[in-house]
Amino acid sequence: KDSVSYLIILLPLCIYDGKTIMLYNTYLKVIREEKFLMKINIYTCLISCVLCIISVYFFQSIYLVMVSLVLSFAIRCYISEVYLSKKLKVKVFNIDSIIEAVLALAFVVVTWFLPPLNAWIVVVFLFFIYTIFSWSKLKRLFLMMVKRRRKMA
C-alpha cells in the first residue's frame, strides 16, 4: 500500500524530469547554455533542500518530502521552458504547460483519494478530454511525421 502511494506522487516527478532531461537540457547544451543549466540546477537543488528540510523537521512527513521534490522538478522544468522560449524566440510556454500541470495535480489528487478503479476511470476521462481539446495539434503533428517519413523513403 505504501509503495503505491509513493508511486502516485513520484510519477509526475518522472514526467517533469524526463521532459527536462530529454528536451530542455538537450536544447540548452546545443545552444551552449551550460552556464544557465548549471545555475538552474543549483537553484532547484537549493529549493528542494529547503522544502525537504521544512517537510522533515516541521511536518515529519515523507509524503511532503516527495511532494516538495515534485514541486522543485516542476519549477526546474518550467523555468527551463520559459528561458528557452525567450532565447529561441518561440512561444513555448502557453496554455498547454498549464494544462500539463493541472493534469499532473489531478492525477495525484484523484489516485490518492479515490479507489483504484474509480481513479483509473477519472484519469482516463481527463486524458480523453485533453485529447479532444488537443486533437488539431495531434493531427498536425501526425501529418508532419508522415510527411517526413515519405521524404526519407
Side-chain angles (χ1 to χ4, degrees), residues 47-103:
I47 290 170
S48 180
C49 287
V50 168
L51 290 176
C52 286
I53 289 170
I54 291 170
S55 300
V56 169
Y57 288 109
F58 292 113
F59 297 105
Q60 290 90 31
S61 172
I62 189 73
Y63 293 109
L64 280 179
V65 170
M66 293 184 334
V67 168
S68 67
L69 288 173
V70 173
L71 185 63
S72 64
F73 275 63
I75 289 169
R76 180 178 74 165
C77 182
Y78 291 123
I79 289 174
S80 298
E81 187 173 348
V82 169
Y83 181 80
L84 270 174
S85 69
K86 289 179 182 176
K87 190 76 175 170
L88 299 176
K89 296 180 179 119
V90 292
K91 186 176 180 184
V92 176
F93 190 81
N94 53 20
I95 192 72
D96 290 334
S97 300
I98 296 168
I99 291 172
E100 176 186 292
V102 168
L103 282 174

